[in-house]
Amino acid sequence: MWIERLTKRLMLLIGIVGVLVIYVGFFYLLFQQQGSATLPWYILISPWLCIYFGLNPQQQVNTRLWLKQKLPFKRK
C-alpha cells in the first residue's frame, strides 16, 4: 500500500514540475521569436496525465465530471 501512495505522489510531483518546465520553456521560445511549431502536441499533455494519475480515485472522478461539463460532448 505504501508503494502505491509513493508512486502516486511521485507522479503528482513529476507532473507539476513537468507543467512548469514545459510551459515556462514554451513562453521562453515565444518571447525569443524562435519557432515552437516543432513541439509535438503530446509533450504538452504528458504532465497533465501524470497529475491526473497522481490524484486519488475520488479526485479522478471529480476531474472527469468537471471535464465532461467543460467539453462540448454530444449527449444522447
Side-chain angles (χ1 to χ4, degrees):
M1 199 65 171
W2 65 272
I3 190 88
E4 183 179 343
R5 264 197 323 265
L6 180 67
T7 304
K8 283 187 172 282
R9 290 194 185 187
L10 190 60
M11 287 189 70
L12 198 56
L13 179 68
I14 289 171
I16 291 169
V17 170
V19 166
L20 290 175
V21 167
I22 287 172
Y23 285 94
V24 167
F26 174 76
F27 285 117
Y28 172 78
L29 289 175
L30 184 68
F31 292 124
Q32 290 296 320
Q33 304 297 327
Q34 296 176 1
S36 61
T38 58
L39 293 174
W41 63 270
Y42 56 84
I43 287 179
L44 298 175
I45 209 165
S46 298
W48 293 108
L49 290 174
C50 284
I51 290 172
Y52 174 78
F53 286 112
L55 299 174
N56 67 40
Q58 183 58 45
Q59 290 172 324
Q60 288 178 353
V61 168
N62 291 342
T63 302
R64 283 194 306 265
L65 291 174
W66 176 83
L67 197 57
K68 273 185 176 178
Q69 290 175 351
K70 296 295 177 186
L71 294 176
F73 291 121
K74 283 199 167 197
R75 295 186 175 107
K76 296 180 179 181

